Amino acid sequence: MPSQVLPGERPQTLLPELAGGMRYMARQPIMDRRALVHGYELLFRSGPTAFFSGDGNLATRTMLDNAVMFGLGKLTAGLPAFFNCTSESLTEDLVDVLPAGNSILEVLETVEPTPRLIAACQKLKAAGFRIALDDFVWRPDLQPLVRLADYVKVDFLLTGPEERKMLLKRLKGTSVALVAEKIESQDEYKQACLEGFTLFQGYYFCRPVLLRNQQIPANRLSHIEILQLLREDPFDLNKVATAVKRDASLTYRLLRLVNSPIYALRGQVSSIHAALMAVGEDTFRRIATLAITSELNAGQPIEILRMAFVRARFCELAATQCGQNQTEQYLLGLLSLLPAMLRLPMAQLTPMLPLRDEVRWALEGTRNAERVLLDWLEYQALCDWDGCDQVVKKYGLNETELANRYAEALMWAEVVLHEVA
């Protein structure tokens, strides 16, 4: 873990620059019923054919660039990684560049279960890889692959309740884990649970049922008030310290962050005043904002907080590309998931946030200059590469730089999350 990486500074050794440049990559969580992340599917710009077809040497080099140089452990926080695989990638040993124990190979629905493919999957299973069947629809000729599979993934958008009922009936008695894909609402999540699915892929957890016409809880309101105090330049330390001290949990989180290896302080810091003197006003603002966001997310899936940290760091790192203020972009990314944390509409929250009107409007969905990077992130999360390209072209951004900054943000978020969680 890096020892001297401050929020607001770009680490010098955290991330190797890729030999051929890294193009877009998205990371989608696969959650269990406890709202914990089971693993991540890594999705790359042009799909599996960009990695596993054509020139085998080129395919291997590309995978080495992205999987080995970055390190899957860094891209997935040490959790299993799901990869889409073509027939060629499985039968010609191209996936051997991946770490077997941490990789799940998804056999695409377009792959024919030939004897050669089945033999390749048997060999890969023996080597320690796990097998998933993607967008699965029952066919008798897939039975040999079902016997090898560890996961079966079912698309909720493309299948109806009766079709899924028959499919799960056929899979009864097997040891496969059932993954419901494209779960985008709480209603779909509840339906998938009732049907017997145990793993879920989609952004349903970021779309809770909003509590309209509800007041912000007093303890959450106090956190927003502290954000407002921190916005003042210079801020009143006595007011900030008094407000933070009223919340024991927030105080603990803030001091834990200050004393973490990220800041490499020589002595232990035990008070809010000492924390400010040790790290300075600007860094203190960032630390306090991280701690407050963690408290705002209390009771919600930790993945929401992880995504907020990734967004904050990415927007901060890429801000100079589009002529934006790094601090504002950091806050924009961090606060963009407040509705998921507080289960309240963004329009109800933005009047209280310590931001310029243009940044508030960006949080509410206005496609202005302040929202450029957040737009790119949202397109990227959905693997809408055309949307990403439109943003890049319109604002003259560098796509390789964006992709690298995103990967860097993933790794930074894990370091910080460890300290605040």
Side-chain angles (χ1 to χ4, degrees):
M1 183 170 64
S3 60
Q4 295 184 345
V5 181
L6 302 182
E9 295 182 0
R10 181 178 171 185
Q12 299 301 310
T13 59
L14 179 65
L15 177 68
E17 296 297 331
L18 297 181
M22 177 181 174
R23 301 206 67 187
Y24 301 153
M25 179 202 77
R27 184 181 78 169
Q28 295 183 352
I30 297 173
M31 313 274 281
D32 64 19
R33 291 193 178 202
R34 299 170 297 167
L36 299 176
V37 178
H38 176 80
Y40 289 98
E41 181 168 357
L42 299 182
L43 298 154
F44 296 90
R45 166 77 200 222
S46 299
T49 55
F51 291 92
F52 299 128
S53 65
D55 183 347
N57 290 328
L58 176 61
T60 299
R61 180 176 63 81
T62 305
M63 281 306 302
L64 283 170
D65 274 349
N66 290 278
V68 178
M69 288 187 66
F70 269 102
L72 284 187
K74 293 180 179 178
L75 292 178
T76 66
L79 295 171
F82 288 69
F83 290 93
N84 288 344
C85 298
T86 61
S87 178
E88 181 184 11
S89 69
L90 297 169
T91 58
E92 297 189 11
D93 301 328
L94 298 183
V95 296
D96 286 354
V97 297
L98 301 172
N102 216 35
S103 299
I104 293 96
L105 308 177
E106 294 193 25
V107 181
L108 294 175
E109 68 277 10
T110 55
V111 171
E112 290 298 319
T114 62
R116 185 183 180 201
L117 177 80
I118 294 167
C121 288
Q122 290 172 333
K123 178 183 174 183
L124 290 165
K125 282 273 288 188
F129 287 98
R130 282 171 282 176
I131 304 295
L133 305 182
D134 191 35
D135 289 345
F136 185 75
V137 177
W138 176 263
R139 295 193 337 242
D141 60 337
L142 294 177
Q143 185 62 38
L145 286 177
V146 172
R147 286 195 290 266
L148 291 170
D150 300 279
Y151 302 86
V152 165
K153 303 180 76 175
V154 180
D155 190 322
F156 246 58
L157 288 182
L158 298 180
T159 58
E162 287 302 317
E163 185 179 357
R164 293 193 297 269
K165 181 178 179 181
M166 292 302 298
L167 174 59
L168 269 59
K169 185 177 180 180
R170 290 182 180 276
L171 293 173
K172 189 175 182 179
T174 67
S175 59
V176 298
L178 298 170
V179 184
E181 294 186 281
K182 296 189 174 72
I183 304 298
E184 301 299 330
S185 71
Q186 290 295 316
D187 287 342
E188 289 173 343
Y189 167 70
K190 291 175 183 177
Q191 180 63 31
C193 288
L194 288 173
E195 292 180 10
F197 289 89
T198 57
L199 297 172
F200 314 89
Q201 186 170 352
Y203 290 102
Y204 65 95
F205 61 93
C206 282
R207 300 181 178 95
V209 177
L210 299 181
L211 303 174
R212 297 186 181 276
N213 301 318
Q214 297 291 318
Q215 295 298 315
I216 299 176
N219 60 331
R220 299 294 182 254
L221 190 58
S222 69
H223 295 149
I224 293 176
E225 289 170 353
I226 296 172
L227 289 177
Q228 292 171 329
L229 289 173
L230 290 170
R231 178 65 174 171
E232 297 175 5
D233 190 15
F235 62 74
D236 187 319
L237 176 58
N238 290 325
K239 287 184 179 179
V240 171
T242 299
V244 171
K245 287 176 182 176
R246 293 195 192 107
D247 189 321
S249 179
L250 178 58
T251 301
Y252 171 77
R253 286 187 191 274
L254 194 151
L255 292 178
R256 179 177 171 84
L257 263 177
V258 172
N259 288 306
S260 72
I262 299 173
Y263 300 99
L265 298 179
R266 294 182 179 179
Q268 192 78 4
V269 173
S270 58
S271 73
I272 305 301
H273 285 79
L276 175 61
M277 298 301 295
V279 300
E281 188 170 305
D282 288 342
T283 300
F284 181 87
R285 278 193 181 94
R286 297 176 186 275
I287 300 173
T289 303
L290 287 171
I292 290 167
T293 309
S294 302
E295 287 298 303
L296 290 171
N297 193 62
Q300 300 298 334
I302 193 70
E303 185 64 14
I304 296 175
L305 188 60
R306 179 182 279 111
M307 289 175 62
F309 288 172
V310 171
R311 287 184 177 193
R313 183 61 167 165
F314 170 81
C315 290
E316 178 184 41
L317 290 172
T320 54
Q321 272 207 59
C322 50
Q324 293 297 313
N325 178 277
Q326 286 187 299
T327 300
E328 277 193 339
Q329 286 294 305
Y330 178 86
L331 285 172
L332 175 70
L334 196 65
L335 300 176
S336 64
L337 288 171
L338 270 186
M341 296 177 184
L342 299 180
R343 298 179 63 197
L344 292 169
M346 183 64 85
Q348 188 174 337
L349 298 168
T350 49
M352 305 177 188
L353 297 178
L355 302 167
R356 289 189 298 119
D357 286 342
E358 289 80 2
V359 182
R360 291 194 186 96
W361 298 335
L363 284 172
E364 292 173 0
T366 299
R367 296 193 180 281
N368 55 13
E370 284 75 12
R371 192 183 164 81
V372 169
L373 297 174
L374 188 56
D375 274 342
W376 187 91
L377 274 175
E378 291 181 348
Y379 285 129
Q380 177 256 13
L382 298 173
C383 299
D384 183 348
W385 310 129
D386 289 339
C388 289
D389 283 344
Q390 290 172 16
V391 172
V392 166
K393 183 178 180 180
K394 182 176 181 179
Y395 294 95
L397 308 180
N398 184 306
E399 64 178 19
T400 300
E401 181 76 5
L402 291 176
N404 277 286
R405 299 295 75 79
Y406 172 70
E408 187 174 327
L410 291 180
M411 290 178 265
W412 179 88
E414 291 307 321
V415 176
V416 177
L417 189 66
H418 174 75
E419 300 302 334
V420 302

